[in-house]
Every structure is written in C-alpha cells, then in structure tokens.
Amino acid sequence: MHSHDLMSMGDVSRRSGFAASALRYYEAEGLISATRTPGGRRQFERTVLRRLAFIRAAANIGLTLPEIRAELDQLPAGRVPTKSDWQRISRHWRARLDAQIGALERLRDGLDSCIGCGCFSLQRCRISNPGDYLADSENAPGAALLPEPLRRPQEPRAR
C-alpha cells in the first residue's frame, strides 16, 4: 500500500459525511478498520468510503447496526468489494423497501383521518382506541398502530 492510498480521519469525515466520532465508533464496532501512524493517528484505506456509503444506505432504509454488521461480514476479506458483491448483499433490501413504501402509502392515504397513534381523541377514526387499551400494548409508547415497517426499535421502558 502506498501512502497516497491512505486517508486521514478528517479526509474520511469530509468525504463520507460522517463525524469523526461516528468513524471511531464504527471502527470500535468492527464495521471499518484503520491503521495507526507512529504518532497514533488513524489512517484509513480509501476503500473505507465504499463501506461507509453502504452503512449510510443501510441505515437509511432502517437496518440496525447488527444487521449492517451481518451484511458487511458477507464482503470478501482482502479485496475491494465489486459491484456484484454490493448487489448480492443488498438484493433482499428490495422486499424491505417495498414493505416500507406500502406502509408509507397507507399512512399517507389515511393521514387526514388517522396517523396510527392509537389515540381516542378523534370523533371519527378508523382505528379507534376506546378506553385507551393501546397504552399497555407492546408497541406503546408512541404511535402504537403505526405500520411495522415504519417502526424504529425502541429503547426499553423504565418500570
């Protein structure tokens, strides 16, 4: 490897759009790797930009960090991922995106009467919540009736 193949933390941060703290976190999580200069500064191979773009795309469609790690673990070690590598590991995202699109369309189409919150304040709501029975549902707090593909993992509730 030549020195021009390596990028500083600042360069990678600028090129990828990720904060330096995110890069350090992803490195600690094993999603990306860096070498160190004799002075201890991180240096990244230029190919890290592809991995970071993949992480951004995967996060944007809702993959969790463990899911992103599992996807990245499918990439070949020791060589730059090819277009076919990326296509192979992202192929099943289509079903996930289709489910999200369908859920967003249902949300859009019912938005003027209900957003899936499970409230009981609207006089005319297709998803009525009499007696606030949704307060104790596994999807509470929040929009308890929001379609599953649009849900983000929740932090455990304090009891």
Side-chain angles (χ1 to χ4, degrees), residues 85-126:
D85 291 328
W86 292 124
Q87 287 174 332
R88 176 179 41 80
I89 67 173
S90 63
R91 189 171 292 128
H92 69 275
W93 292 6
R94 179 174 284 283
R96 189 177 194 140
L97 286 169
D98 287 344
Q100 288 175 336
I101 290 168
L104 284 168
E105 288 173 342
R106 288 190 305 279
L107 181 62
R108 177 204 60 209
D109 293 347
L111 198 56
D112 60 347
S113 63
C114 181
I115 60 171
C117 67
C119 72
F120 48 90
S121 61
L122 294 177
Q123 295 302 312
R124 295 178 53 118
C125 182
R126 291 185 304 182

Side-chain angles (χ1 to χ4, degrees), residues 6-151:
L6 298 175
M7 298 176 70
S8 69
M9 173 76 80
D11 289 339
V12 172
S13 180
R14 262 187 305 285
R15 291 282 307 278
S16 69
F18 283 102
S21 59
L23 299 176
R24 287 188 294 274
Y25 177 73
Y26 291 150
E27 182 187 15
E29 290 293 314
L31 300 177
I32 62 174
S33 61
T35 58
R36 298 287 195 277
T37 66
R41 302 187 117 206
R42 288 174 175 83
Q43 292 185 312
F44 298 90
E45 290 185 29
R46 188 171 301 280
T47 57
V48 76
L49 294 173
R50 284 189 183 182
R51 289 180 75 89
L52 290 167
F54 182 85
I55 290 168
R56 170 98 53 210
N60 283 344
I61 68 158
L63 268 67
T64 63
L65 226 62
E67 290 173 316
I68 292 170
R69 179 180 294 105
E71 297 290 346
L72 288 172
D73 286 347
Q74 295 181 47
L75 290 174
R79 77 167 167 80
V80 177
T82 63
K83 180 180 177 182
S84 65
D85 291 328
W86 292 124
Q87 287 174 332
R88 176 179 41 80
I89 67 173
S90 63
R91 189 171 292 128
H92 69 275
W93 292 6
R94 179 174 284 283
R96 189 177 194 140
L97 286 169
D98 287 344
Q100 288 175 336
I101 290 168
L104 284 168
E105 288 173 342
R106 288 190 305 279
L107 181 62
R108 177 204 60 209
D109 293 347
L111 198 56
D112 60 347
S113 63
C114 181
I115 60 171
C117 67
C119 72
F120 48 90
S121 61
L122 294 177
Q123 295 302 312
R124 295 178 53 118
C125 182
R126 291 185 304 182
I127 309 174
S128 180
N129 182 20
D132 197 19
Y133 72 93
L134 290 169
D136 295 321
S137 85
E138 65 183 41
N139 292 327
L145 298 175
L146 191 67
E148 189 64 35
L150 301 180
R151 294 188 168 282

